[in-house]
């Protein structure tokens, strides 16, 4: 009888323990949700910035230290390209690492070692008149063709990369002996880019040059899109600068870049390279302005703060208008830009989402990276992504790339360097202006802006 009682007691204790364990799990879930809801503004910014930085820190390509083109946490890479690194995205990553150092998200000595590793890798990879290709094999350092004839220099991606060079140099140039040595490496990489070669002896910059196909792609960069920084970097080069005519006749189309179109009562100011009048994908307001500070920045064509604020507000207002009546859009669920997309069969594709190419897909990077331009609306969106859509959107490197709430909720549970980098950098520019300050203090950038007749009002 005693043995039976003992067995019953043990079973009862196990049952009680099981109930407590069940309650604990429920309580833990409730606590997690409560924590999501109770984050202060600063804690939310810290959380998103730090987690997103992991793309460039924890999930970088290991041999080169550079940013992978894409990171798929499930290991399902459609072209087995987890080793492919992106030059432009790595430029964004350099700036993100600087922000992470400043906020003590990553150890300073480890960050300097990583930056040194990246500089050494880039110094050994093939360059094409000083410019890097769009993609590099991170394991071998060889050029990875982006397309059949796109197997040489990509001056636009190089300009995004060089923007990062300047920021790293300025951040480390007065540091320890080891930091100054790294700064010198980035200064040398920057000064070796032959920007004037990419004019092809014409008034404009050509996007691509290949040692095999030379100028066959024949793509002159004309505004307005994401490439303003390319012309500014080219004008700022100490030894390989373009002439001002390349900017004014090429990029600005001889003045035809100016627009009198408006949407939702907001002037577009410049003619976006789209068919409509409601602006292009929002990355056009981000990539060039991660280092280049648009506050008070004007030339004979535009005030660039107004350009970017209006672009962001038009994108937001389009989501509110929601002319295609998508369930995804609301006052907190907005942001159209280039990202993964939802195909008709619910598979994952890629699209440069904009009012002219609207698929009912929101890319979190669009609203978050517009934080300096639309702070309240972007913060509300960030909180919505984090709190209301946490289970759908939150992953190991921040918010997943894109989602849709049409029918069954859908998410692309993957990441792209060009979408994660701007979030870290623009959050920092909103919080402290650090990356803007570093880039804009560079003397050659100031000279380049002056050369193109830019003015800066404090």
């Amino acid at each position: 009888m005693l043995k039976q009682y003992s067995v019953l007691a043990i079973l009862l204790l196990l049952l009680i323990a099981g109930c407590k364990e069940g309650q604990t799990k429920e309580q833990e879930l409730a606590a997690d949700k409560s924590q999501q809801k109770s984050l202060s503004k600063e804690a939310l910014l810290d959380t998103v910035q730090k987690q997103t930085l992991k793309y460039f820190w924890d999930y970088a390509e290991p041999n080169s230290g550079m940013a992978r083109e894409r990171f798929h946490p499930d290991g399902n890479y459609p072209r087995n390209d987890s080793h492919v690194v992106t030059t432009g995205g790595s430029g964004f990553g350099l700036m993100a690492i600087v922000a992470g150092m400043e906020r003590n998200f990553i150890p300073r000595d480890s960050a300097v070692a990583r930056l040194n590793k990246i500089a050494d890798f880039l110094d050994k990879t093939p360059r094409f008149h000083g410019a890097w290709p769009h993609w590099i094999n991170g394991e071998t350092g060889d050029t990875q063709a982006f397309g059949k004839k796109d197997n040489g220099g990509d001056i636009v991606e190089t300009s995004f990369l060089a923007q990062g060079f300047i920021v790293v140099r300025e951040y480390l140039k007065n540091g320890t002996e080891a930091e100054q040595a790294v700064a010198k490496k980035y200064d040398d990489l920057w000064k070796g880019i032959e920007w004037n070669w990419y004019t092809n002896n014409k008034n404009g910059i050509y996007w691509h040059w290949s040692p095999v196909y030379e100028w066959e792609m024949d793509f002159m960069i004309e505004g307005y899109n994401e490439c303003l920084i390319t012309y500014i970097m080219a004008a700022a080069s100490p030894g390989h600068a373009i002439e001002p005519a390349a900017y004014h006749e090429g990029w600005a189309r001889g003045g035809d870049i100016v627009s009198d179109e408006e949407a939702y009562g907001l002037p577009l100011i410049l003619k976006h390279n789209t068919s409509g009048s409601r602006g292009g994908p929002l990355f056009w307001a981000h990539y060039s302005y991660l280092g280049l500070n648009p506050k008070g920045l004007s030339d004979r064509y535009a005030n660039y703060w107004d350009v970017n604020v209006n672009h962001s507000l038009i994108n937001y207002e389009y989501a509110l208008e929601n002319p295609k009546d998508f369930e995804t859009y609301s006052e907190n669920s907005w942001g159209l830009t280039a990202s993964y997309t939802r195909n008709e069969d619910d598979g994952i594709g890629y699209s440069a989402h904009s009012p002219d190419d609207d698929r009912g897909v929101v890319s979190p990077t669009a609203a978050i990276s517009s934080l300096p331009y639309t702070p309240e609306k972007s913060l509300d969106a960030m909180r919505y992504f984090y709190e209301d859509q946490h289970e759908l959107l939150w992953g190991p490197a921040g918010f997943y790339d894109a989602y849709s709430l049409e029918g069954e909720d859908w998410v692309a549970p993957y990441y792209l360097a060009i979408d994660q980098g701007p979030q870290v950098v623009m959050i920092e520019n909103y919080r402290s202006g650090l990356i803007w300050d570093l880039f804009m203090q560079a003397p050659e950038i100031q000279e380049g802006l002056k050369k193109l007749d830019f003015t800066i009002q404090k």
Side-chain angles (χ1 to χ4, degrees):
M1 180 66 76
L2 182 60
K3 184 177 181 180
Q4 290 177 341
Y5 283 139
S6 298
V7 171
L8 287 171
I10 291 170
L11 289 173
L12 182 60
L13 287 171
L14 288 173
L15 180 62
I16 292 170
C19 290
K20 286 184 177 179
E21 184 179 354
Q23 289 174 352
T24 301
K25 288 180 179 177
E26 290 177 2
Q27 289 170 350
E28 286 177 356
L29 287 172
D32 287 344
K33 289 184 178 179
S34 175
Q35 184 180 19
Q36 295 166 26
K37 295 283 186 183
S38 61
L39 283 179
S40 68
K41 170 185 165 182
E42 290 303 311
L44 178 63
L45 291 170
D46 270 345
T47 299
V48 173
Q49 198 175 19
K50 186 176 183 179
Q51 188 87 344
T52 309
L53 177 62
K54 290 182 178 181
Y55 185 100
F56 304 97
W57 190 249
D58 294 347
Y59 305 117
E61 195 283 317
N63 180 63
S64 63
M66 290 182 55
R68 304 176 195 265
E69 167 69 12
R70 66 191 89 248
F71 169 51
H72 289 194
D74 63 3
N76 179 24
Y77 290 87
R79 290 179 293 277
N80 194 29
D81 60 357
S82 64
H83 61 285
V84 173
V85 299
T86 169
T87 48
S90 291
F92 301 165
L94 293 175
M95 293 181 271
I97 288 171
V98 168
M101 294 168 67
E102 183 71 9
R103 292 206 169 267
N104 297 314
F105 293 155
I106 50 179
R108 188 178 181 94
D109 57 347
S110 299
V112 172
R114 174 73 64 85
L115 293 170
N116 187 61
K117 179 178 184 176
I118 292 170
D120 287 345
F121 176 81
L122 286 169
D123 188 47
K124 295 173 184 175
T125 59
R127 274 171 275 180
F128 306 89
H129 290 277
W132 285 266
H134 190 134
W135 282 345
I136 302 172
N137 185 314
E139 295 173 342
T140 67
D142 296 333
T143 296
Q144 184 96 13
F146 190 72
K148 180 182 177 182
K149 295 185 178 181
D150 191 357
N151 65 346
D154 183 318
I155 200 65
V156 172
E157 294 294 311
T158 295
S159 69
F160 299 151
L161 182 60
Q163 195 174 194
F165 292 170
I166 295 291
V167 169
V168 171
R169 184 195 72 187
E170 292 298 304
Y171 190 69
L172 297 180
K173 68 181 184 181
N174 296 320
T176 65
E177 185 176 342
E179 291 173 357
Q180 290 181 42
V182 174
K184 175 65 165 57
K185 289 182 180 183
Y186 280 98
D187 187 55
D188 290 342
L189 292 173
W190 145 244
K191 289 177 178 175
I193 303 167
E194 297 176 31
W195 304 91
N196 51 351
W197 168 264
Y198 282 82
T199 65
N200 192 19
N201 295 313
K202 298 180 174 66
N203 284 334
I205 296 177
Y206 285 77
W207 199 308
H208 315 91
W209 181 82
S210 160
V212 178
Y213 302 101
E214 297 187 330
W215 303 106
E216 284 187 33
M217 292 192 72
D218 195 30
F219 190 172
M220 182 185 280
I221 307 164
E222 299 175 293
Y224 180 74
N225 53 27
E226 74 273 28
C227 302
L228 176 63
I229 191 65
T230 308
Y231 277 87
I232 289 174
M233 299 297 286
S237 172
H240 304 282
I242 61 169
E243 293 300 320
Y247 176 75
H248 296 294
E249 298 301 319
W251 169 256
R253 302 174 186 261
D256 285 344
I257 195 173
V258 176
S259 172
D260 59 3
E261 295 277 5
E262 64 176 47
Y264 310 107
L266 297 162
L268 202 60
I269 302 173
L270 297 176
K271 292 177 183 175
H272 288 217
N273 290 343
T274 57
S275 58
S277 61
R278 290 177 291 193
L282 266 182
F283 74 89
W284 293 0
H286 306 147
Y287 292 1
S288 282
Y289 305 99
L290 299 183
L292 180 68
N293 187 351
K295 286 185 177 178
L297 184 69
S298 299
D299 64 4
R300 67 185 69 167
Y301 311 110
N303 175 301
Y304 289 88
W305 183 255
D306 293 342
V307 168
N308 292 337
V309 170
N310 288 5
H311 186 184
S312 301
L313 288 173
I314 288 169
N315 198 283
Y316 171 81
E317 291 294 337
Y318 175 82
L320 289 190
E321 181 194 11
N322 195 8
K324 296 186 178 181
D325 199 28
F326 285 123
E327 296 176 27
T328 307
Y329 302 146
S330 69
E331 63 180 354
N332 296 329
S333 181
W334 62 279
L336 304 181
T337 195
S339 70
Y340 283 122
T341 196
R342 184 180 196 172
N343 292 335
E344 290 184 3
D345 63 358
D346 285 345
I348 297 175
Y350 184 84
S351 178
H353 306 101
S354 72
D356 293 328
D357 184 8
D358 180 10
R359 304 186 182 194
V361 171
V362 166
S363 315
T365 185
I368 292 171
S369 300
S370 290
L371 185 59
Y373 312 133
T374 53
E376 291 184 5
K377 294 174 173 60
S378 292
L379 281 166
D380 288 345
M382 188 189 301
R383 191 169 291 281
Y384 170 81
F385 300 150
Y386 188 75
E387 295 178 357
D388 296 73
Q389 299 296 341
H390 191 88
E391 292 183 15
L392 180 68
L393 290 181
W394 192 246
F399 297 115
Y400 290 129
D401 200 52
Y403 71 95
S404 172
L405 306 180
E406 307 307 308
E408 292 188 10
D409 293 353
W410 172 94
V411 69
Y414 304 137
Y415 299 99
L416 294 169
I418 55 176
D419 287 342
Q420 299 310 102
Q423 294 181 61
V424 180
V425 177
M426 285 305 227
I427 288 174
E428 190 57 46
N429 281 330
Y430 167 75
R431 301 181 82 176
S432 70
L434 173 69
I435 308 302
W436 281 341
D437 290 345
L438 290 169
F439 183 80
M440 297 298 285
Q441 76 184 21
E444 60 267 56
I445 298 303
Q446 291 292 323
E447 285 300 312
L449 289 170
K450 186 185 299 183
K451 183 176 183 178
L452 300 182
D453 292 334
F454 278 85
T455 59
I456 302 172
Q457 294 181 341
K458 300 294 185 182

